[in-house]
Amino acid sequence: MSEVDPKTFFELVQFQADYGAVLDAGDWDRWPEFFLEECTYKVQPRENYDRGLPLATMAFESRGMLKDRVYGIKETLFHDPYYQRHVVGLPRVLMSEGGRFECESNYAVFRTKLDDYSRVFNVGRYLDVIVRTPEGLKFASRLVIFDSEMIPNSIIYPL
Amino acid sequence: MNDSQVVFPGIATWEGDGTSRVPFWAYTDPDLYRLELERFFYTGHWCYVGLEAEIPNPGDFKRTAIGERSVILARDNDGAVNVVENVCAHRGVQFLRPRFGNRRDFICPYHQWCYSLKGDLQGVPLRKGVKQDGRVQGGMPPQFRNEEHGLTKLKVATRNGVVYASFDHSVPPLEEYIGPAMLEYVDRTFDGRKLKVLGYSRQRIAGNWKLMQENIKDPYHPGLLHTWFVVFGLWRADNKSQLVMDEHFRHAAMISRRGNEGMTGEATKGVSSFKQGMKLNDERFLDVVAEEWWKGPTVVMTTLFPSVILQQQVNSVSTRHIQPRGPGEFDFVWTHFGFEEDSPEMERRRLRQANLFGPAGFVSADDGEVIELAQNGFEQKPFHRTVSELGGYTCENTDHLVTETLIRGMYDYWRRVMQV
């Protein structure tokens, strides 16, 4: 456990909260802005992560790839529309050094389809590397390691 | 279309002897579904269970399924691969829970019946009773024989690192079952090179299991539903292609070569998913490098009936395992792999291109979505039927993609086996 001052901790919490709010609003174009140009975003089943198997459900390496995903969501991927709702726990700050933070936080995402009840869609933890830039905090890396290995049909939107 | 007034037809009959119109009840009827499990998954057919690379060492096991039956694939001390049913002979407990691991033997937690990795019963606790006050109390009757109480053993066949199994010990040899036409395509990917497992994706799709077989026997949809395929030339109606079936029409391969990116023509005229001028922000998603073993085609999608799809889509290779769960649901397990000989660059390329496939894939996520919606339609009006008449009414191999011949072929086989 690394010590960060309350102001920094608040910033990290706010950053996480903003991220969830953007996804829950379906404001897809703003999603890549949370990341550095060169970045890692992976949504990976826990079994692969734990066993050191590299396959991820989504594995992106640049803001360009994130933008391609956004285009996919908006224009090319047919899917049954749904709402998302993120509930994200407080970050556990593992490392803090010179404007670079390694954090871990639990999340649960609920999915609500138009003619159905709200259901638990995906739960897991974020493993983050967050850096301070002139434009504010950004993810250098966000690994979404999910316990919900049996995916209910598909994952279209980012988590 | 004219609608019948009888929504639930009672005794359903398939009109005529064609297979271009499949009744919706063939996807929803629970009795038919159980008969399918009996006739396709539990007798007469080989089912996919895994890759040898998943269980490299003696004692390694993998838990998987054939139809709805839980089975264990285990590497024995002599190096052989065994497949046994995951049900204790004593009280029926599905005793093995981890998906992967290493064991010296299998022990049921309930009464500690112990089995070898081959499934032979080694011993049972309190077999000789308990000696108390000079008397032996209880114990198994003297007639009890270990050899009568082993786990159910399946017949196993491996070919170039892929493991198939059958509950039916009278099943024809694997090579005969796959047939010479399909074997060529199966052996193209699995030519004896050592495989390297890259990881798994699992999805549960609320549709009948046959819909996933049909999805990969349907060359009509990829150039329409999947924008990426048509825009980047990976799959289009005018690509140089072949559709090949085995002699029974149950297995099939769709073979094609990538066409030019972004080109327009008859195949894209009026296709709303075709987006002229669409460019990737990061082209590494499609950093395709041709491999020698392709021998030309950039894609070969093979369906082995009933349980597995073998994928080669440019540099992405996987097996997709179909595990039915009732008439309206199946699990779909993807095992992505590469080859031990792959350079780090090739492995990274396979992983990048894996973004196109699986439950979130740029081209595969919508297959699951569409299958669920098809099942919804079937449930709603079981008296109705599909229309698979692109390319006519008959089943034959073709040298183009503008046909639903493979779906008609599969139902030709299905009707013969099911006697429906």
Side-chain angles (χ1 to χ4, degrees), chain A:
Chain A
M1 182 71 200
S2 170
E3 292 243 329
V4 288
D5 60 77
K7 180 171 173 291
T8 306
F9 188 72
F10 174 79
E11 281 181 283
L12 290 169
V13 171
Q14 183 72 30
F15 182 61
Q16 296 256 32
D18 288 345
Y19 178 94
V22 161
L23 294 190
D24 293 346
D27 198 355
W28 310 124
D29 288 321
R30 287 188 54 202
W31 172 58
E33 295 170 13
F34 284 87
F35 293 82
L36 294 179
E37 186 58 48
E38 288 299 312
C39 58
T40 300
Y41 175 78
K42 272 189 199 170
V43 177
Q44 191 178 34
R46 180 171 170 171
E47 66 171 321
N48 290 351
Y49 181 82
D50 286 351
R51 295 180 64 200
L53 297 170
L55 183 76
T57 313
M58 290 186 230
F60 305 146
E61 301 158 73
S62 66
R63 211 189 268 168
M65 284 189 175
L66 303 181
K67 286 179 181 164
D68 287 328
R69 185 67 188 187
V70 169
Y71 188 76
I73 294 166
K74 287 163 64 172
E75 300 291 339
T76 77
L77 266 169
F78 170 79
H79 62 280
D80 200 21
Y82 59 93
Y83 301 130
Q84 286 201 119
R85 187 63 52 195
H86 283 67
V87 178
V88 182
L90 289 176
R92 177 173 167 240
V93 183
L94 301 168
M95 199 279 292
S96 157
E97 199 175 21
R100 190 172 181 280
F101 310 96
E102 292 182 16
C103 311
E104 176 183 307
S105 39
N106 291 339
Y107 71 85
V109 176
F110 298 85
R111 180 173 78 173
T112 309
K113 287 195 166 194
L114 300 183
D115 299 326
D116 206 349
Y117 302 117
S118 299
R119 295 176 192 272
V120 178
F121 177 50
N122 191 286
V123 301
R125 62 188 168 136
Y126 292 122
L127 300 181
D128 297 326
V129 178
I130 298 167
V131 293
R132 197 182 288 289
T133 76
E135 290 79 42
L137 297 177
K138 301 281 178 192
F139 289 114
S141 170
R142 165 151 266 199
L143 304 185
V144 187
I145 308 300
F146 59 95
D147 297 347
S148 316
E149 290 162 2
M150 187 59 77
I151 293 167
N153 202 334
S154 61
I155 297 178
I156 306 295
Y157 309 143
L159 297 169

Side-chain angles (χ1 to χ4, degrees), chain B residues 139-405:
Chain B
M140 284 293 182
Q143 302 91 323
F144 184 87
R145 295 274 172 275
N146 281 355
E147 48 273 30
E148 290 170 13
H149 302 283
L151 301 174
T152 294
K153 297 177 183 178
L154 284 79
K155 190 162 178 156
V156 180
T158 59
R159 189 173 172 88
N160 293 336
V162 187
V163 189
Y164 305 84
S166 181
F167 285 102
D168 180 357
H169 286 258
S170 68
V171 70
L174 178 73
E175 285 71 17
E176 196 179 305
Y177 165 77
I178 294 174
M182 283 307 107
L183 212 51
E184 181 187 335
Y185 296 104
V186 174
D187 286 351
R188 177 175 164 276
T189 304
F190 303 103
D191 58 3
R193 283 170 296 169
K194 287 240 186 260
L195 307 179
K196 182 177 177 190
V197 174
L198 298 179
Y200 301 91
S201 284
R202 301 169 193 276
Q203 54 188 143
R204 181 163 291 170
I205 299 176
N208 183 269
W209 67 274
K210 296 192 292 301
L211 287 167
M212 190 43 88
Q213 283 279 345
E214 288 173 49
N215 184 262
I216 308 298
K217 291 176 187 285
D218 165 12
Y220 190 8
H221 85 280
L224 299 166
L225 176 65
H226 305 313
T227 301
W228 275 49
F229 273 171
V230 59
V231 170
F232 302 120
L234 293 167
W235 190 281
R236 314 170 25 128
D238 51 359
N239 283 356
K240 195 167 164 1
S241 309
Q242 274 174 289
L243 301 178
V244 180
M245 287 178 275
D246 72 320
E247 58 175 342
H248 305 285
F249 304 151
R250 56 190 174 189
H251 315 309
M254 305 198 293
I255 305 124
S256 190
R257 281 163 205 261
R258 188 178 184 184
N260 292 331
E261 234 173 272
M263 71 182 177
T264 51
E266 283 296 315
T268 55
K269 203 180 278 179
V271 173
S272 62
S273 52
F274 180 70
K275 297 189 183 299
Q276 180 80 44
M278 174 183 165
K279 283 259 184 298
L280 291 174
N281 288 290
D282 192 326
E283 294 189 335
R284 288 178 294 178
F285 278 132
L286 281 175
D287 165 30
V288 174
V289 169
E291 299 177 67
E292 213 166 291
W293 63 269
W294 296 357
K295 297 174 194 136
T298 58
V299 47
V300 176
M301 296 297 299
T302 308
T303 40
L304 293 184
F305 197 78
S307 68
V308 72
I309 293 153
L310 309 176
Q311 168 204 331
Q312 180 240 326
Q313 256 291 2
V314 282
N315 299 114
S316 177
V317 276
S318 74
T319 64
R320 309 178 183 177
H321 188 181
I322 299 170
Q323 303 173 1
R325 295 170 52 88
E329 190 172 82
F330 64 96
D331 287 349
F332 201 39
V333 180
W334 303 62
T335 306
H336 282 257
F337 61 90
F339 303 95
E340 276 191 3
E341 64 184 35
D342 286 346
S343 65
E345 292 73 27
M346 182 54 81
E347 184 171 311
R348 200 173 314 127
R349 185 173 292 119
R350 297 197 201 286
L351 289 165
R352 280 194 187 121
Q353 291 177 24
N355 279 300
L356 275 69
F357 307 101
F362 280 107
V363 295
S364 291
D366 31 24
D367 284 326
E369 293 286 300
V370 166
I371 284 173
E372 182 171 337
L373 298 178
Q375 189 72 18
N376 289 352
F378 300 156
E379 301 279 354
Q380 169 174 337
K381 47 190 307 194
F383 64 88
H384 209 71
R385 77 285 179 282
T386 65
V387 185
S388 298
E389 300 183 351
L390 193 73
Y393 305 95
T394 51
C395 336
E396 63 278 304
N397 294 348
T398 65
D399 56 3
H400 63 84
L401 299 175
V402 200
T403 174
E404 292 169 300
T405 178

